[in-house]
Amino acid sequence: MHIHQTVVFRHKPVIIGSYSIVGPKEGKGNFGRYFNYVMKDDSFGEESYEKAEKKMLQSAVIGAIEDAKIKPSDINLMLAGDLLNQIISSSYAARYFNFAYLGLFSACSTIAESLAIGASLVDGGEFDTVVCSTASHFSTAERQFRFPLELGNQRPPTSQWTVTGAGACVIANEGKGPRITMATFGKVVDWGISDVNNMGAAMAPAAMDTLLAHFKDTNTTPDDYDLIATGDLGKLGSEILIDLMEDNGIKLGLNYKDCGQMFFTRSQNTLCGGSGCGCSASVLNSFIIQKLRSGEYKRVLFLPTGALMSTTATQQGETIPGVCHAIVLESEECAKSENKKQKQKMQNKKEVAKKK
Amino acid sequence: MHIHQTVVFRHKPVIIGSYSIVGPKEGKGNFGRYFNYVMKDDSFGEESYEKAEKKMLQSAVIGAIEDAKIKPSDINLMLAGDLLNQIISSSYAARYFNFAYLGLFSACSTIAESLAIGASLVDGGEFDTVVCSTASHFSTAERQFRFPLELGNQRPPTSQWTVTGAGACVIANEGKGPRITMATFGKVVDWGISDVNNMGAAMAPAAMDTLLAHFKDTNTTPDDYDLIATGDLGKLGSEILIDLMEDNGIKLGLNYKDCGQMFFTRSQNTLCGGSGCGCSASVLNSFIIQKLRSGEYKRVLFLPTGALMSTTATQQGETIPGVCHAIVLESEECAKSENKKQKQKMQNKKEVAKKK
């Protein structure tokens, strides 16, 4: 069932396994103790950073399957994407698995896109068990999107640091774990920002658009969530989002956080914070899922944003479109409890929508 | 319901509208009279070929919505992808529409990926009406993947010609038109081909893998289809596929065709034939859908292949992985008729699978 942009899952697909892997700098950041694996060096024993990124994604998929205590042959489908041209980290990693494969791209929002499609396919009964994954690497992103690493460019104050990391999770139609209860599919929004060193400002309008759609479609408010987490708006972008939401009459309180802003410590000097597909994917598949499993978080709205530009588009004078897909995750207890108030709210909303 | 890699759609989503647009050279090819629109020049009035490609995709989406005789506001979701880095043709085109958007990438198999996911979301009840689209442009692909256009490189005999074109179709849960009855989700297959001027050979094993999976999962044979159409294996690739299938005991007969091989006339000198996302997408959304609408084709197996490499991967000595997603399309009459034999076959297959 969908209400405008939001799909409400009937059977609430379960995240039965998850895994996160990050680079050494990331391991020293604020989420260090939550990650499953911290690499000793960011080449991961490979001869290129691109191959290291592929290996991280591969390791995350294997780790999530092991965490789910299932066999690789139980997986029906892999959904993955990354920032590299032609998403090679994902497609090349997929060679090693005997799974059907769907390649996705919505930049740093890809982990949410994969969860939204994956949960839909499991909920609709098309597949029983799917694995979703994304990765990014500081050194591959930097040299593809910005400057050669050897150039040692100075970084402007609005810039962010691409996280070297990957995250993966296994979604199934039965089992124990946090549930995916809703997904809001985002629109492409472009407010004319063209500064590739200010991704936060480019993506904030997309986050606003999806948040407004989500609250409207589901008749919820920020207070209905223990955590509202954007992906990598960073320090500036998340401040812009708070302002934009306030302009729309919605106050994002202390339960609003941005994975990128929280990622590194102050002394790590990453300016506006972390970014990249691996940023939100590694935080989701460590910190967030662990807190949903323990019951500390009951309901989380996870909405990473993506900046959809390429170097070619930028060189041709194009501005930067953003997109933001949102996922609602609930702890097992929360999803099981009837939560009558919530259901009633949704029902009322549906009736109002029908009348219109 | 899925049998291994194949999803059988319960409600058989309908293709209620379709549209194809191609460049002038393509308009002079074998499918010329089937296309909805042939551009007078391949810049399409834009200042760059990338912007022309984006505009083609946009036009195809608008055309398909008009053909479906619905309003743009009836569309819930757009699924699109292309060959350009960060799929900018699709994402930038999506800015102009007020639809939720999913970016996809499986190279020249993307139109089948979008149909497989789109049909699943409509069949599962997540959305009512979605639009699927892909595009490619000779001049953007050539300069991104191979050489600057100005270089005027000689083309090796195994090379293919990227089609300048786009196709789009609207899938809905009700209405008149050909039905999508099944989708086989492909695996990534890499047999070690590294020649970027021999895409056909790189992709043929993926086509074989998906064809074998499809016939096995659905208990069908080539004779069950009026047309089995690969996307852009080209002359050499489709010969390799025929050989590979014969090695597996399956004879592909005269009902097997390749869109790329058929695309251009002999005198157009495209060596092994057409290729690109726009090749299979424009043929599907013109020739194939028109013949399904007229009832000339009753059941079509459409399975474009994609080569998942990037220039970076190639420069790092990687081989070329392929992927192939397959879609079964049936004419309205065929889908409606009980087709007991087919259903019985599927049922038997399901029972055998369950016993295993």
Side-chain angles (χ1 to χ4, degrees):
Chain A
M1 186 190 70
H2 79 103
I3 301 161
H4 304 295
Q5 289 167 249
T6 304
V7 173
V8 181
F9 297 118
R10 287 157 293 195
H11 309 296
K12 302 181 179 177
V14 199
I15 296 179
I16 58 169
S18 70
Y19 194 85
S20 55
I21 171 170
V22 296
K25 182 183 173 108
E26 288 70 17
K28 293 190 189 95
N30 288 320
F31 295 106
R33 65 196 172 97
Y34 295 97
F35 298 123
N36 294 93
Y37 189 83
V38 177
M39 302 186 298
K40 282 188 190 72
D41 85 289
D42 66 354
S43 71
F44 208 10
E46 294 291 311
E47 60 191 3
S48 77
Y49 293 125
E50 286 75 15
K51 291 185 181 181
E53 184 175 324
K54 176 195 71 180
K55 193 174 164 187
M56 281 196 300
L57 196 144
Q58 221 170 299
S59 307
V61 168
I62 294 169
I65 293 170
E66 282 175 359
D67 184 52
K69 295 184 181 61
I70 57 171
K71 297 187 299 289
S73 59
D74 294 327
I75 300 285
N76 307 134
L77 183 69
M78 169 172 168
L79 303 102
D82 56 85
L83 297 176
L84 295 188
N85 298 343
Q86 288 74 50
I87 58 166
I88 47 169
S89 305
S90 305
S91 304
Y92 279 74
R95 286 192 296 195
Y96 294 91
F97 302 110
N98 197 25
F99 315 147
Y101 165 74
L102 295 176
L104 310 175
F105 181 78
S106 55
C108 308
S109 191
T110 306
I111 189 69
E113 181 182 358
S114 71
L115 286 161
I117 299 175
S120 296
L121 294 177
V122 169
D123 197 58
E126 279 85 9
F127 289 105
D128 305 322
T129 314
V130 304
V131 62
C132 301
S133 185
T134 62
S136 60
H137 194 297
F138 172 76
S139 299
T140 65
E142 204 63 16
R143 66 187 184 185
Q144 179 182 277
F145 287 109
R146 292 172 197 99
F147 297 102
L149 292 164
E150 296 78 0
L151 203 58
N153 257 60
Q154 206 175 3
R155 306 171 69 79
T158 53
S159 72
Q160 294 174 241
W161 188 276
T162 306
V163 164
T164 298
C169 57
V170 176
I171 306 174
N173 55 5
E174 53 183 19
K176 279 189 177 297
R179 304 281 185 141
I180 302 174
T181 58
M182 295 190 248
T184 301
F185 291 68
K187 294 175 182 176
V188 175
V189 178
D190 188 338
W191 280 18
I193 302 289
S194 58
D195 179 359
V196 292
N197 280 304
N198 193 353
M199 291 293 156
M203 301 188 294
M208 178 206 73
D209 195 78
T210 298
L211 260 184
L212 291 176
H214 179 80
F215 290 141
K216 197 176 162 215
D217 292 351
T218 62
N219 207 14
T220 56
T221 70
D223 292 340
D224 290 312
Y225 299 96
D226 298 317
L227 172 71
I228 297 172
T230 46
D232 56 359
L233 289 178
K235 189 174 178 303
L236 179 61
S238 52
E239 281 170 7
I240 296 172
L241 176 63
I242 291 169
D243 287 349
L244 290 174
M245 291 303 290
E246 211 161 295
D247 290 348
N248 283 280
I250 294 175
K251 201 176 171 314
L252 291 179
L254 293 174
N255 58 343
Y256 167 63
K257 310 269 185 195
D258 180 71
C259 299
Q261 192 185 357
M262 290 188 289
F263 206 97
F264 293 104
T265 62
R266 250 185 91 78
S267 65
Q268 286 184 304
N269 195 21
T270 58
L271 302 159
C272 270
S275 68
C277 287
C279 176
S280 54
S282 66
V283 175
L284 172 72
N285 289 292
S286 59
F287 180 80
I288 296 176
I289 287 186
Q290 284 166 35
K291 292 214 179 288
L292 281 162
R293 280 180 179 171
S294 72
E296 189 175 334
Y297 287 154
K298 286 181 184 54
R299 189 181 291 116
V300 172
L301 179 59
F302 173 71
L303 68 159
T305 50
L308 302 171
M309 91 293 176
S310 77
T311 50
T312 307
T314 305
Q315 284 158 8
Q316 293 184 5
E318 285 278 16
T319 53
I320 304 170
V323 73
C324 175
H325 301 295
I327 299 288
V328 177
L329 299 148
E330 292 184 16
S331 68
E332 201 168 350
E333 292 65 35
C334 177
K336 276 185 181 167
S337 76
E338 277 302 301
N339 206 336
K340 282 182 187 169
K341 192 180 152 202
Q342 188 71 10
K343 281 206 169 175
Q344 194 54 49
K345 267 184 170 180
M346 291 294 306
Q347 193 55 39
N348 294 347
K349 189 74 196 168
K350 202 180 149 189
E351 276 158 19
V352 170
K354 266 190 187 167
K355 277 176 197 164
K356 278 180 188 166
Chain B
M1 184 190 72
H2 78 104
I3 300 162
H4 304 295
Q5 289 167 249
T6 304
V7 172
V8 181
F9 297 118
R10 286 157 293 196
H11 310 297
K12 303 180 180 178
V14 199
I15 296 179
I16 58 169
S18 69
Y19 194 85
S20 54
I21 171 172
V22 297
K25 181 184 174 106
E26 288 70 16
K28 294 190 189 93
N30 289 319
F31 295 107
R33 64 196 172 98
Y34 295 98
F35 299 124
N36 295 93
Y37 190 82
V38 178
M39 303 186 298
K40 281 188 192 71
D41 84 290
D42 66 353
S43 71
F44 208 10
E46 295 291 312
E47 61 190 4
S48 78
Y49 294 123
E50 286 74 16
K51 290 184 182 182
E53 183 175 324
K54 177 194 72 181
K55 194 175 163 187
M56 281 196 299
L57 196 144
Q58 222 171 298
S59 307
V61 168
I62 294 168
I65 293 169
E66 282 175 359
D67 185 50
K69 296 182 179 62
I70 57 172
K71 297 188 299 289
S73 60
D74 294 326
I75 300 285
N76 306 135
L77 182 70
M78 169 174 169
L79 302 101
D82 56 85
L83 297 175
L84 295 188
N85 298 343
Q86 289 75 51
I87 58 167
I88 47 168
S89 305
S90 306
S91 303
Y92 280 73
R95 286 192 298 196
Y96 294 91
F97 301 110
N98 196 25
F99 314 148
Y101 164 73
L102 295 176
L104 309 175
F105 181 77
S106 55
C108 309
S109 191
T110 306
I111 189 68
E113 180 182 358
S114 71
L115 287 161
I117 299 176
S120 296
L121 294 176
V122 169
D123 197 58
E126 278 86 11
F127 289 105
D128 306 322
T129 314
V130 304
V131 62
C132 301
S133 185
T134 62
S136 60
H137 195 297
F138 172 77
S139 299
T140 65
E142 205 63 16
R143 68 187 184 185
Q144 179 182 277
F145 287 110
R146 292 171 197 98
F147 298 101
L149 292 164
E150 295 78 0
L151 204 58
N153 258 59
Q154 206 176 2
R155 305 171 69 79
T158 53
S159 72
Q160 294 173 240
W161 188 277
T162 306
V163 164
T164 298
C169 57
V170 176
I171 305 174
N173 55 4
E174 52 185 17
K176 276 189 178 300
R179 304 281 185 141
I180 302 174
T181 58
M182 294 191 247
T184 301
F185 291 68
K187 295 175 181 176
V188 175
V189 178
D190 188 337
W191 281 17
I193 303 288
S194 58
D195 179 359
V196 292
N197 280 304
N198 193 353
M199 289 293 156
M203 300 189 294
M208 179 206 72
D209 194 78
T210 299
L211 261 184
L212 290 177
H214 180 79
F215 290 141
K216 197 176 162 216
D217 292 353
T218 61
N219 206 15
T220 56
T221 69
D223 293 339
D224 290 313
Y225 299 97
D226 297 317
L227 173 70
I228 298 174
T230 46
D232 57 359
L233 289 177
K235 190 174 177 302
L236 179 61
S238 52
E239 281 170 8
I240 295 173
L241 176 62
I242 291 168
D243 288 348
L244 289 174
M245 292 304 289
E246 211 161 295
D247 292 347
N248 283 279
I250 294 174
K251 202 175 170 318
L252 291 178
L254 293 174
N255 58 343
Y256 167 63
K257 309 268 186 198
D258 179 73
C259 300
Q261 192 184 356
M262 291 188 288
F263 206 96
F264 294 105
T265 62
R266 250 185 91 77
S267 65
Q268 286 185 302
N269 195 21
T270 58
L271 301 159
C272 271
S275 67
C277 287
C279 176
S280 54
S282 66
V283 175
L284 173 72
N285 289 292
S286 59
F287 181 79
I288 296 177
I289 287 185
Q290 284 166 34
K291 292 216 178 287
L292 280 162
R293 281 180 178 171
S294 72
E296 188 175 334
Y297 287 155
K298 286 180 183 57
R299 190 182 289 120
V300 172
L301 179 59
F302 173 71
L303 67 159
T305 50
L308 303 171
M309 90 295 174
S310 77
T311 50
T312 307
T314 305
Q315 284 158 8
Q316 293 184 5
E318 286 276 17
T319 52
I320 304 169
V323 74
C324 175
H325 301 294
I327 299 288
V328 176
L329 299 147
E330 293 183 16
S331 68
E332 202 169 350
E333 292 66 34
C334 176
K336 275 184 182 168
S337 76
E338 275 302 300
N339 206 335
K340 282 182 186 169
K341 192 181 150 201
Q342 188 71 11
K343 279 208 169 171
Q344 193 55 49
K345 267 186 169 180
M346 289 294 307
Q347 193 58 37
N348 294 347
K349 189 75 197 164
K350 201 180 151 191
E351 275 158 20
V352 170
K354 266 189 185 167
K355 277 177 194 163
K356 277 180 190 165

